[in-house]
Amino acid sequence: MAKKPKQEGGKAKAPEQVTSTTPVEAPRKRKLYFEQAVPALVKQFSFKNPMQVPRLKKITVNMGLGAAVGNPKIIDSAVDEMRAITGQKPIVTRAKKAIATFKLREGVPIGVMVTLRRERMWEFFDRLVSIGLPRVRDFKGVSPRGFDGQGNYTLGLKEQIIFPEIDYDKIDVIKGLNISFITSAKTDDEGRALLSQLGMPFRA
């Protein structure tokens, strides 16, 4: 039986670490926020402290699937589509209580949702306003009425197919989305100004 060759010094060499020399580029919208949105908001609202400037904290994407009560397989496709759209694995939401009228039992899966922060949040926002919304049929801007009185905004989309990550030939049913933009703004005016500076196309 052939003997294994000895390593130098009697020890196996550790594999060399490979370090990428490709510079990591910051998300475009985050760069836009610091370079253009912050100065513009300071001027518009006369903020004296940079910490007063509203910022985008997180984005939640929710896909409600009432049809899943009768067809549970819809949840599986929704998970795959949400992962493709957001780049993050979603969590499955379940019914908190039973409703006999809708044949809904407690604990039954009824949707999927994702909470995006940091880089994924900025990248999703960029894809939404730069690629997704312009693909909406007869798009004339988003409604400015979706604010909650505290600077947060919710946008409803009727079809998931506006995102290029979705393969139209593989979808089972058209699914709607609710997208909430959670900000640190104290008023709706501040929240609207923040999202406008970032490129949200509000209707006049």
Side-chain angles (χ1 to χ4, degrees):
M1 187 173 178
K3 293 183 178 180
K4 294 182 180 179
K6 291 184 178 180
Q7 300 289 340
E8 291 184 15
K11 295 181 179 180
K13 286 186 176 181
E16 294 183 3
Q17 292 184 345
V18 178
T19 304
S20 175
T21 56
T22 304
V24 178
E25 189 171 343
R28 293 192 313 165
K29 292 298 181 180
R30 187 177 71 177
K31 189 176 180 182
L32 175 69
Y33 172 73
F34 286 108
E35 293 182 358
Q36 297 183 32
V38 170
L41 292 169
V42 167
K43 182 177 181 180
Q44 181 177 350
F45 294 98
S46 301
F47 292 125
K48 296 180 180 179
N49 187 332
M51 297 301 291
Q52 292 178 293
V53 179
R55 66 186 188 280
L56 186 60
K57 297 169 66 177
K58 63 182 179 181
I59 296 175
T60 60
V61 187
N62 182 63
M63 188 181 284
L65 302 165
V69 175
N71 184 7
K73 290 184 179 179
I74 292 179
I75 292 291
D76 296 332
S77 64
V79 168
D80 292 338
E81 290 171 6
M82 185 74 88
R83 184 189 289 114
I85 291 171
T86 64
Q88 183 172 307
K89 183 179 179 180
I91 62 172
V92 176
T93 56
R94 299 177 181 274
K96 294 182 179 179
K97 60 182 181 179
I99 304 177
T101 306
F102 299 104
K103 298 181 181 180
L104 182 65
R105 299 192 308 274
E106 184 179 354
V108 171
I110 54 172
V112 296
M113 73 168 294
V114 160
T115 299
L116 302 171
R117 293 181 173 86
R118 295 180 287 277
E119 271 69 18
R120 282 180 178 167
M121 173 189 74
W122 291 114
E123 289 167 359
F124 174 78
F125 188 97
D126 195 354
R127 293 199 309 276
L128 174 67
V129 300
S130 303
I131 302 173
L133 291 177
R135 287 162 60 103
V136 174
R137 187 179 303 174
D138 300 325
F139 183 68
K140 297 179 180 179
V142 299
S143 172
R145 298 180 180 179
F147 286 89
D148 64 354
Q150 298 179 329
N152 305 311
Y153 179 69
T154 297
L155 168 68
L157 298 176
K158 295 180 179 180
E159 301 176 333
Q160 82 278 34
I161 57 176
I162 67 168
F163 293 95
E165 294 87 356
I166 299 298
D167 186 342
Y168 185 82
D169 294 328
K170 293 182 179 180
I171 62 173
D172 46 6
V173 295
I174 296 295
K175 305 178 184 75
L177 299 167
N178 279 327
I179 306 173
S180 295
F181 304 86
I182 311 304
T183 77
S184 64
K186 294 182 179 180
T187 67
D188 288 349
D189 287 341
E190 289 182 4
R192 187 180 299 106
L194 166 64
L195 295 179
S196 294
Q197 287 291 337
L198 292 174
M200 183 65 75
F202 289 108
R203 289 197 296 267

